[in-house]
Amino acid sequence: FMPQIKAINHEAVVVEDMEKSLAFWRDALGIELHELRDVPAERSRVAFLPLAGAEVELVMPTTDDSGIAKYLAKRGQGMHHLCLEVDDIDSMMTQLKSKNIRLINEEPRTASDGKKYAFIHPESTGGVLVELYQT
Ligand code: CO
C-alpha cells in the first residue's frame, strides 16, 4: 500500500494587514471571502477564500509574540505554506522518513476538529513549507 496525495487543500499566505490583502484577493481578484475569524490559540486572524475545492488562507498575527508574528518579522509577507491532502498521513510519514526527508513534526498532530496534520521542513522541499493533512 502506497499513501497518496489527493489534492491541494490550501495555500497559506502571511499578511501584515488583512484589509489590504482582502482588497487584492477578494476585491481585485474577486474570490469570495467565506470566513474571517480570530484563532486565539494561534494568536492570529485567518481569512478563508475557497476556490475550486482548495482554499487560499490569509493569516495575520494579532499579537507580537506569536509564531506567525515572528515569522512575519523575520521573513516578511508572502507564501507561508502549501497544504497537501493525503489519504494516510501515518504511512506517508513513514515513507518520507525512509527517504530521509526532514520533518518538522516527527508524528502527526491532531487539530481541534480531530483531523491529523504534520509539517515537512523546507530544507527537503525546495524551500517551501509543506503541510500534510488527512481529512
Ligand atoms: Co495550513
Side-chain angles (χ1 to χ4, degrees), residues 22 28 42-43 47 58 68-69 78 82-83 89-90 97 101 123:
L22 286 172
E42 304 289 343
R43 284 161 290 171
L58 309 177
I68 208 82
L82 179 69
C83 178
I89 194 168
D90 293 300
K97 285 176 194 172
I101 301 300
E123 188 186 272

Side-chain angles (χ1 to χ4, degrees), residues 27-95:
D27 304 335
L29 286 181
I31 306 174
E32 191 186 338
L33 173 63
H34 176 71
E35 197 185 357
L36 179 63
R37 75 170 135 93
D38 283 311
V39 184
E42 304 289 343
R43 284 161 290 171
S44 62
R45 181 168 302 146
V46 185
F48 298 93
L49 299 103
L51 185 64
E55 210 164 43
V56 175
E57 296 183 4
L58 309 177
V59 186
M60 184 189 78
T62 49
T63 66
D64 289 339
D65 58 348
S66 60
I68 208 82
K70 285 175 190 152
Y71 180 96
L72 182 62
K74 193 175 167 195
R75 306 184 64 171
Q77 299 192 99
M79 183 168 158
H80 186 256
H81 65 268
L82 179 69
C83 178
L84 303 175
E85 202 173 304
V86 61
D87 59 357
D88 183 340
I89 194 168
D90 293 300
S91 46
M92 179 57 85
M93 290 180 76
T94 302
Q95 175 172 301

Side-chain angles (χ1 to χ4, degrees), residues 9-12 57 59 80-83 117 119 131 133:
N9 185 275
H10 61 268
E11 191 206 318
E57 296 183 4
V59 186
H80 186 256
H81 65 268
L82 179 69
C83 178
Y117 67 96
F119 284 93
E131 178 182 12
Y133 180 73

Side-chain angles (χ1 to χ4, degrees), residues 107-121:
E107 303 300 330
R109 306 181 73 178
T110 306
S112 52
D113 59 4
K115 288 165 183 169
K116 293 208 267 182
Y117 67 96
F119 284 93
I120 306 170
H121 200 283

